[in-house]
Amino acid sequence: MHKREILERLRNGEPVSGEELGRAIGISRTAVWKHVNELKSQGYVIDSVPSKGYCFVSAPDALLPEEIRAGLKTRIIGRDIAYQKATPSTQEIAKALAAQGVAEGTIVVAETQSKGRGRVGRQWSSPQGGVYFSIILRPDMNPSEALRLPLVAGVAVAKTIKRNTKLDPRLKWPNDIMIDGKKIGGILTEMNAEMDRLDWVIIGIGLNVNMSQQSFPADVEGTATSLMEAVGKSVPRVKLLQDILAEFETLYNELMKSGFETIRMKWKALSNTIGEKVVVTLPNGQIKGVAVDIDADGALMLEKDDGSLEKIIAGVVKLRKLQE
Ligand code: BT5
């Protein structure tokens, strides 16, 4: 608490003496000194200017809650933050928190994950430099409508990347964020429902931000990329996360108030899937066809070679042009 207050006061830019800081927040000069040392050990650069006091120089490149909160433009999403430097998976922590009843909008953020998860038992490689987080939601909606949520998240991520980097990200149904045909991010949705109402939904988002191509494992190196690789320089991760959270909150509110239609249109405008020949892998085999639309539930509508339509609610989609 005191540490956060000290940081807020130092961030204003003007040097402040330990005595003044202590007086302002009601602690001793020695206590201020201890907190400042703790901040320095977290990676904050704070100079001591003779006869003037402490002077804030820079924040660490870490996704620390204090950093994320400073300037966060949301009302509920990301207001409560559980931060892990390293963790097996943010989804697991988020699930435990959701079961304990934490507030909607709570997020779990990590710098690295040792067992990052993708869909259907696949892995999400999570080296240092990425952004890995899970958002806990408690939407008043039927479980059958939950498929819309990862699409909302996809639009939020793609719009934010577009605005912050001038790149042209594309969404591949249902949950991939792509740049120049390579995967830069993925979204995993898990939920718990009681009767016909959702209890909680956890949207897990993994984004490759400041990592080199070599930091990916061999099996994804050829199909993955990072923002740093695509832009040619590193991208401030805290700002990126803050902007995604804000964009997500806006779209989530829009979904809850006005329904899915406008978001469906935004998703389609950002998609690389609609109009493409695809092959969809399902648990019981593969279907080929042209992805013609996503419907009001967020499902993929596939026109098969015989002209009939198939509604796909889950599956792994490959664009045939990228395979050939
Ligand atoms: C996804 O699964 O794309 C969802 C990924 C969600 C990760 C987040 S991170 C925060 C939260 N905590 C977690 O534990 N998970 C979530 P899927 O569509 O199944 O894609 C997985 C496939 O993508 C793998 O089988 C690889 O082929 C590929 N892949 C793995 N790591 C990658 C990476 N870092 N970048 C690009 N592709 C990757």
PDB file of all heavy atoms in Angstrom, residues 74-99:
ATOM      1  N   THR A  74     -10.100   1.521 -17.719  1.00  0.00           N
ATOM      2  CA  THR A  74     -11.255   0.621 -17.654  1.00  0.00           C
ATOM      3  C   THR A  74     -11.984   0.825 -16.330  1.00  0.00           C
ATOM      4  O   THR A  74     -11.450   1.395 -15.393  1.00  0.00           O
ATOM      5  CB  THR A  74     -10.831  -0.861 -17.731  1.00  0.00           C
ATOM      6  OG1 THR A  74     -10.016  -1.148 -16.586  1.00  0.00           O
ATOM      7  CG2 THR A  74     -10.073  -1.174 -18.991  1.00  0.00           C
ATOM      8  N   ARG A  75     -13.224   0.304 -16.302  1.00  0.00           N
ATOM      9  CA  ARG A  75     -13.989   0.388 -15.058  1.00  0.00           C
ATOM     10  C   ARG A  75     -13.899  -0.935 -14.298  1.00  0.00           C
ATOM     11  O   ARG A  75     -13.716  -0.958 -13.103  1.00  0.00           O
ATOM     12  CB  ARG A  75     -15.448   0.723 -15.396  1.00  0.00           C
ATOM     13  CG  ARG A  75     -16.154   1.537 -14.325  1.00  0.00           C
ATOM     14  CD  ARG A  75     -17.511   1.998 -14.817  1.00  0.00           C
ATOM     15  NE  ARG A  75     -18.303   0.889 -15.335  1.00  0.00           N
ATOM     16  CZ  ARG A  75     -18.970   0.020 -14.571  1.00  0.00           C
ATOM     17  NH1 ARG A  75     -18.953   0.135 -13.261  1.00  0.00           N
ATOM     18  NH2 ARG A  75     -19.660  -0.964 -15.117  1.00  0.00           N
ATOM     19  N   ILE A  76     -14.024  -2.061 -15.031  1.00  0.00           N
ATOM     20  CA  ILE A  76     -13.962  -3.346 -14.310  1.00  0.00           C
ATOM     21  C   ILE A  76     -12.828  -4.281 -14.781  1.00  0.00           C
ATOM     22  O   ILE A  76     -12.264  -4.996 -13.981  1.00  0.00           O
ATOM     23  CB  ILE A  76     -15.300  -4.124 -14.361  1.00  0.00           C
ATOM     24  CG1 ILE A  76     -15.727  -4.408 -15.807  1.00  0.00           C
ATOM     25  CG2 ILE A  76     -16.394  -3.419 -13.595  1.00  0.00           C
ATOM     26  CD1 ILE A  76     -16.665  -5.588 -15.916  1.00  0.00           C
ATOM     27  N   ILE A  77     -12.525  -4.256 -16.072  1.00  0.00           N
ATOM     28  CA  ILE A  77     -11.553  -5.239 -16.580  1.00  0.00           C
ATOM     29  C   ILE A  77     -10.127  -4.839 -16.185  1.00  0.00           C
ATOM     30  O   ILE A  77      -9.648  -3.770 -16.572  1.00  0.00           O
ATOM     31  CB  ILE A  77     -11.638  -5.371 -18.128  1.00  0.00           C
ATOM     32  CG1 ILE A  77     -13.071  -5.686 -18.592  1.00  0.00           C
ATOM     33  CG2 ILE A  77     -10.646  -6.414 -18.640  1.00  0.00           C
ATOM     34  CD1 ILE A  77     -13.597  -7.057 -18.249  1.00  0.00           C
ATOM     35  N   GLY A  78      -9.474  -5.687 -15.400  1.00  0.00           N
ATOM     36  CA  GLY A  78      -8.100  -5.406 -14.996  1.00  0.00           C
ATOM     37  C   GLY A  78      -7.986  -4.523 -13.765  1.00  0.00           C
ATOM     38  O   GLY A  78      -6.904  -4.053 -13.432  1.00  0.00           O
ATOM     39  N   ARG A  79      -9.099  -4.304 -13.089  1.00  0.00           N
ATOM     40  CA  ARG A  79      -9.036  -3.491 -11.858  1.00  0.00           C
ATOM     41  C   ARG A  79      -8.371  -4.298 -10.744  1.00  0.00           C
ATOM     42  O   ARG A  79      -7.677  -3.757  -9.898  1.00  0.00           O
ATOM     43  CB  ARG A  79     -10.444  -3.046 -11.437  1.00  0.00           C
ATOM     44  CG  ARG A  79     -10.973  -1.934 -12.303  1.00  0.00           C
ATOM     45  CD  ARG A  79     -10.287  -0.615 -11.934  1.00  0.00           C
ATOM     46  NE  ARG A  79      -9.894   0.140 -13.115  1.00  0.00           N
ATOM     47  CZ  ARG A  79      -8.942   1.069 -13.115  1.00  0.00           C
ATOM     48  NH1 ARG A  79      -8.259   1.333 -12.037  1.00  0.00           N
ATOM     49  NH2 ARG A  79      -8.647   1.718 -14.207  1.00  0.00           N
ATOM     50  N   ASP A  80      -8.626  -5.607 -10.715  1.00  0.00           N
ATOM     51  CA  ASP A  80      -7.924  -6.481  -9.768  1.00  0.00           C
ATOM     52  C   ASP A  80      -6.965  -7.341 -10.565  1.00  0.00           C
ATOM     53  O   ASP A  80      -7.364  -7.957 -11.559  1.00  0.00           O
ATOM     54  CB  ASP A  80      -8.912  -7.374  -9.006  1.00  0.00           C
ATOM     55  CG  ASP A  80      -9.725  -6.566  -8.020  1.00  0.00           C
ATOM     56  OD1 ASP A  80      -9.134  -5.697  -7.355  1.00  0.00           O
ATOM     57  OD2 ASP A  80     -10.946  -6.762  -7.955  1.00  0.00           O
ATOM     58  N   ILE A  81      -5.706  -7.366 -10.129  1.00  0.00           N
ATOM     59  CA  ILE A  81      -4.682  -8.061 -10.913  1.00  0.00           C
ATOM     60  C   ILE A  81      -3.908  -9.030 -10.033  1.00  0.00           C
ATOM     61  O   ILE A  81      -3.395  -8.638  -8.983  1.00  0.00           O
ATOM     62  CB  ILE A  81      -3.681  -7.046 -11.525  1.00  0.00           C
ATOM     63  CG1 ILE A  81      -4.422  -6.002 -12.373  1.00  0.00           C
ATOM     64  CG2 ILE A  81      -2.620  -7.762 -12.359  1.00  0.00           C
ATOM     65  CD1 ILE A  81      -3.563  -4.821 -12.803  1.00  0.00           C
ATOM     66  N   ALA A  82      -3.835 -10.289 -10.466  1.00  0.00           N
ATOM     67  CA  ALA A  82      -2.947 -11.245  -9.790  1.00  0.00           C
ATOM     68  C   ALA A  82      -1.742 -11.419 -10.708  1.00  0.00           C
ATOM     69  O   ALA A  82      -1.901 -11.817 -11.873  1.00  0.00           O
ATOM     70  CB  ALA A  82      -3.667 -12.565  -9.587  1.00  0.00           C
ATOM     71  N   TYR A  83      -0.566 -11.080 -10.195  1.00  0.00           N
ATOM     72  CA  TYR A  83       0.641 -11.111 -11.037  1.00  0.00           C
ATOM     73  C   TYR A  83       1.543 -12.277 -10.644  1.00  0.00           C
ATOM     74  O   TYR A  83       1.761 -12.535  -9.464  1.00  0.00           O
ATOM     75  CB  TYR A  83       1.408  -9.791 -10.855  1.00  0.00           C
ATOM     76  CG  TYR A  83       2.775  -9.794 -11.487  1.00  0.00           C
ATOM     77  CD1 TYR A  83       2.929  -9.700 -12.860  1.00  0.00           C
ATOM     78  CD2 TYR A  83       3.926  -9.876 -10.695  1.00  0.00           C
ATOM     79  CE1 TYR A  83       4.192  -9.696 -13.442  1.00  0.00           C
ATOM     80  CE2 TYR A  83       5.188  -9.874 -11.269  1.00  0.00           C
ATOM     81  CZ  TYR A  83       5.313  -9.782 -12.647  1.00  0.00           C
ATOM     82  OH  TYR A  83       6.555  -9.780 -13.214  1.00  0.00           O
ATOM     83  N   GLN A  84       2.026 -12.988 -11.648  1.00  0.00           N
ATOM     84  CA  GLN A  84       2.961 -14.085 -11.419  1.00  0.00           C
ATOM     85  C   GLN A  84       4.147 -13.864 -12.348  1.00  0.00           C
ATOM     86  O   GLN A  84       3.949 -13.744 -13.561  1.00  0.00           O
ATOM     87  CB  GLN A  84       2.329 -15.426 -11.821  1.00  0.00           C
ATOM     88  CG  GLN A  84       1.032 -15.736 -11.125  1.00  0.00           C
ATOM     89  CD  GLN A  84       1.272 -16.205  -9.709  1.00  0.00           C
ATOM     90  OE1 GLN A  84       2.176 -16.996  -9.461  1.00  0.00           O
ATOM     91  NE2 GLN A  84       0.484 -15.703  -8.771  1.00  0.00           N
ATOM     92  N   LYS A  85       5.330 -13.860 -11.802  1.00  0.00           N
ATOM     93  CA  LYS A  85       6.500 -13.752 -12.676  1.00  0.00           C
ATOM     94  C   LYS A  85       6.563 -15.007 -13.556  1.00  0.00           C
ATOM     95  O   LYS A  85       6.686 -14.923 -14.768  1.00  0.00           O
ATOM     96  CB  LYS A  85       7.762 -13.632 -11.820  1.00  0.00           C
ATOM     97  CG  LYS A  85       8.900 -12.948 -12.513  1.00  0.00           C
ATOM     98  CD  LYS A  85       9.898 -12.525 -11.443  1.00  0.00           C
ATOM     99  CE  LYS A  85      11.249 -12.129 -11.938  1.00  0.00           C
ATOM    100  NZ  LYS A  85      11.474 -11.798 -13.294  1.00  0.00           N
ATOM    101  N   ALA A  86       6.463 -16.149 -12.900  1.00  0.00           N
ATOM    102  CA  ALA A  86       6.445 -17.419 -13.644  1.00  0.00           C
ATOM    103  C   ALA A  86       5.365 -18.302 -13.040  1.00  0.00           C
ATOM    104  O   ALA A  86       5.177 -18.309 -11.828  1.00  0.00           O
ATOM    105  CB  ALA A  86       7.792 -18.107 -13.523  1.00  0.00           C
ATOM    106  N   THR A  87       4.651 -19.011 -13.887  1.00  0.00           N
ATOM    107  CA  THR A  87       3.575 -19.874 -13.395  1.00  0.00           C
ATOM    108  C   THR A  87       3.373 -21.007 -14.399  1.00  0.00           C
ATOM    109  O   THR A  87       3.739 -20.861 -15.564  1.00  0.00           O
ATOM    110  CB  THR A  87       2.269 -19.056 -13.244  1.00  0.00           C
ATOM    111  OG1 THR A  87       1.262 -19.878 -12.677  1.00  0.00           O
ATOM    112  CG2 THR A  87       1.761 -18.547 -14.570  1.00  0.00           C
ATOM    113  N   PRO A  88       2.801 -22.141 -13.980  1.00  0.00           N
ATOM    114  CA  PRO A  88       2.479 -23.152 -14.991  1.00  0.00           C
ATOM    115  C   PRO A  88       1.498 -22.588 -16.037  1.00  0.00           C
ATOM    116  O   PRO A  88       1.761 -22.623 -17.220  1.00  0.00           O
ATOM    117  CB  PRO A  88       1.848 -24.278 -14.167  1.00  0.00           C
ATOM    118  CG  PRO A  88       2.449 -24.125 -12.808  1.00  0.00           C
ATOM    119  CD  PRO A  88       2.625 -22.641 -12.609  1.00  0.00           C
ATOM    120  N   SER A  89       0.351 -22.031 -15.574  1.00  0.00           N
ATOM    121  CA  SER A  89      -0.627 -21.489 -16.517  1.00  0.00           C
ATOM    122  C   SER A  89      -1.526 -20.478 -15.809  1.00  0.00           C
ATOM    123  O   SER A  89      -2.049 -20.761 -14.729  1.00  0.00           O
ATOM    124  CB  SER A  89      -1.492 -22.624 -17.085  1.00  0.00           C
ATOM    125  OG  SER A  89      -2.677 -22.103 -17.643  1.00  0.00           O
ATOM    126  N   THR A  90      -1.712 -19.319 -16.417  1.00  0.00           N
ATOM    127  CA  THR A  90      -2.596 -18.304 -15.806  1.00  0.00           C
ATOM    128  C   THR A  90      -4.027 -18.818 -15.735  1.00  0.00           C
ATOM    129  O   THR A  90      -4.804 -18.380 -14.890  1.00  0.00           O
ATOM    130  CB  THR A  90      -2.570 -16.977 -16.600  1.00  0.00           C
ATOM    131  OG1 THR A  90      -2.935 -17.244 -17.957  1.00  0.00           O
ATOM    132  CG2 THR A  90      -1.208 -16.317 -16.565  1.00  0.00           C
ATOM    133  N   GLN A  91      -4.387 -19.741 -16.635  1.00  0.00           N
ATOM    134  CA  GLN A  91      -5.760 -20.273 -16.622  1.00  0.00           C
ATOM    135  C   GLN A  91      -6.040 -20.993 -15.302  1.00  0.00           C
ATOM    136  O   GLN A  91      -7.135 -20.893 -14.758  1.00  0.00           O
ATOM    137  CB  GLN A  91      -5.972 -21.271 -17.775  1.00  0.00           C
ATOM    138  CG  GLN A  91      -5.977 -20.666 -19.157  1.00  0.00           C
ATOM    139  CD  GLN A  91      -7.170 -19.756 -19.425  1.00  0.00           C
ATOM    140  OE1 GLN A  91      -7.017 -18.529 -19.421  1.00  0.00           O
ATOM    141  NE2 GLN A  91      -8.337 -20.308 -19.662  1.00  0.00           N
ATOM    142  N   GLU A  92      -5.045 -21.729 -14.820  1.00  0.00           N
ATOM    143  CA  GLU A  92      -5.264 -22.509 -13.592  1.00  0.00           C
ATOM    144  C   GLU A  92      -5.494 -21.588 -12.399  1.00  0.00           C
ATOM    145  O   GLU A  92      -6.377 -21.828 -11.585  1.00  0.00           O
ATOM    146  CB  GLU A  92      -4.062 -23.431 -13.324  1.00  0.00           C
ATOM    147  CG  GLU A  92      -3.839 -24.473 -14.397  1.00  0.00           C
ATOM    148  CD  GLU A  92      -5.133 -25.176 -14.818  1.00  0.00           C
ATOM    149  OE1 GLU A  92      -5.886 -25.605 -13.926  1.00  0.00           O
ATOM    150  OE2 GLU A  92      -5.389 -25.260 -16.034  1.00  0.00           O
ATOM    151  N   ILE A  93      -4.698 -20.517 -12.323  1.00  0.00           N
ATOM    152  CA  ILE A  93      -4.868 -19.576 -11.209  1.00  0.00           C
ATOM    153  C   ILE A  93      -6.222 -18.882 -11.338  1.00  0.00           C
ATOM    154  O   ILE A  93      -6.961 -18.725 -10.362  1.00  0.00           O
ATOM    155  CB  ILE A  93      -3.743 -18.529 -11.208  1.00  0.00           C
ATOM    156  CG1 ILE A  93      -2.403 -19.249 -11.051  1.00  0.00           C
ATOM    157  CG2 ILE A  93      -3.930 -17.506 -10.101  1.00  0.00           C
ATOM    158  CD1 ILE A  93      -1.213 -18.336 -11.193  1.00  0.00           C
ATOM    159  N   ALA A  94      -6.562 -18.503 -12.566  1.00  0.00           N
ATOM    160  CA  ALA A  94      -7.827 -17.801 -12.788  1.00  0.00           C
ATOM    161  C   ALA A  94      -9.014 -18.694 -12.408  1.00  0.00           C
ATOM    162  O   ALA A  94      -9.987 -18.227 -11.816  1.00  0.00           O
ATOM    163  CB  ALA A  94      -7.928 -17.358 -14.249  1.00  0.00           C
ATOM    164  N   LYS A  95      -8.906 -19.976 -12.727  1.00  0.00           N
ATOM    165  CA  LYS A  95     -10.003 -20.891 -12.384  1.00  0.00           C
ATOM    166  C   LYS A  95     -10.190 -20.977 -10.875  1.00  0.00           C
ATOM    167  O   LYS A  95     -11.308 -20.943 -10.380  1.00  0.00           O
ATOM    168  CB  LYS A  95      -9.680 -22.301 -12.898  1.00  0.00           C
ATOM    169  CG  LYS A  95     -10.136 -22.539 -14.292  1.00  0.00           C
ATOM    170  CD  LYS A  95     -10.004 -24.020 -14.566  1.00  0.00           C
ATOM    171  CE  LYS A  95      -9.786 -24.279 -16.021  1.00  0.00           C
ATOM    172  NZ  LYS A  95      -9.432 -25.664 -16.283  1.00  0.00           N
ATOM    173  N   ALA A  96      -9.057 -21.074 -10.162  1.00  0.00           N
ATOM    174  CA  ALA A  96      -9.137 -21.163  -8.695  1.00  0.00           C
ATOM    175  C   ALA A  96      -9.747 -19.867  -8.136  1.00  0.00           C
ATOM    176  O   ALA A  96     -10.608 -19.905  -7.259  1.00  0.00           O
ATOM    177  CB  ALA A  96      -7.746 -21.407  -8.118  1.00  0.00           C
ATOM    178  N   LEU A  97      -9.335 -18.723  -8.686  1.00  0.00           N
ATOM    179  CA  LEU A  97      -9.873 -17.445  -8.210  1.00  0.00           C
ATOM    180  C   LEU A  97     -11.364 -17.332  -8.527  1.00  0.00           C
ATOM    181  O   LEU A  97     -12.153 -16.871  -7.700  1.00  0.00           O
ATOM    182  CB  LEU A  97      -9.119 -16.268  -8.856  1.00  0.00           C
ATOM    183  CG  LEU A  97      -7.680 -16.045  -8.387  1.00  0.00           C
ATOM    184  CD1 LEU A  97      -7.025 -14.944  -9.205  1.00  0.00           C
ATOM    185  CD2 LEU A  97      -7.651 -15.679  -6.902  1.00  0.00           C
ATOM    186  N   ALA A  98     -11.736 -17.776  -9.725  1.00  0.00           N
ATOM    187  CA  ALA A  98     -13.152 -17.702 -10.123  1.00  0.00           C
ATOM    188  C   ALA A  98     -13.992 -18.559  -9.182  1.00  0.00           C
ATOM    189  O   ALA A  98     -15.062 -18.142  -8.737  1.00  0.00           O
ATOM    190  CB  ALA A  98     -13.316 -18.163 -11.571  1.00  0.00           C
ATOM    191  N   ALA A  99     -13.473 -19.742  -8.843  1.00  0.00           N
ATOM    192  CA  ALA A  99     -14.211 -20.639  -7.944  1.00  0.00           C
ATOM    193  C   ALA A  99     -14.334 -20.030  -6.549  1.00  0.00           C
ATOM    194  O   ALA A  99     -15.303 -20.273  -5.840  1.00  0.00           O
ATOM    195  CB  ALA A  99     -13.521 -21.995  -7.888  1.00  0.00           C
TER     196      ALA A  99
END
